[in-house]
Amino acid sequence: KKCHACFSSSSSLVCWMLTNTDGSFGMLHTLPPHRGMGLATCLVAYASTTECDTSTHHYCYVENDNSASHKVFQRCGYTKVAKVAWVVMKEGR
């Protein structure tokens, strides 16, 4: 995994995203006081260009009700291609 991050002028972590070993992006988050500044869009755009050698396809699972994240990925050229359902199974069953 790789971590992409933005820091404030006081060196505080304010926005981050992971690139998983399979090329998927995840855990994109911006702290509330720093939202609306384009930090998440910059991280996705940067990761999309710098990770191009390690994976042919980049993708991210985004919750249906997370419109802010949908907008960030759309701004960076990503399109919604499928709906995914997660199933949680208890060990031993």
Side-chain angles (χ1 to χ4, degrees), residues 15 18 20-21 23-24 31 39 47 51 75 77 80 88 92:
C15 182
L18 297 178
N20 296 301
T21 55
S24 66
L31 295 177
L39 299 175
E51 300 294 323
R75 279 188 217 113
K80 190 174 186 177
V88 178

Side-chain angles (χ1 to χ4, degrees), residues 57-87:
H57 303 289
H58 291 296
Y59 58 95
C60 183
Y61 300 109
V62 179
E63 294 282 341
N64 286 330
D65 61 349
N66 190 344
S67 60
S69 193
H70 283 282
K71 288 176 187 176
V72 166
F73 281 94
Q74 287 172 349
R75 279 188 217 113
C76 294
Y78 289 83
T79 56
K80 190 174 186 177
V81 295
K83 288 188 177 185
V84 176
W86 293 96
V87 177

Side-chain angles (χ1 to χ4, degrees), residues 23-43:
S24 66
F25 296 141
M27 307 303 288
L28 177 63
H29 185 74
T30 304
L31 295 177
H34 302 278
R35 292 180 182 166
M37 300 177 185
L39 299 175
T41 301
C42 285
L43 279 184

Side-chain angles (χ1 to χ4, degrees), residues 7-24:
F7 295 88
S8 69
S9 57
S10 63
S11 300
S12 298
L13 182 63
V14 297
C15 182
W16 57 88
M17 181 181 78
L18 297 178
T19 300
N20 296 301
T21 55
D22 63 358
S24 66

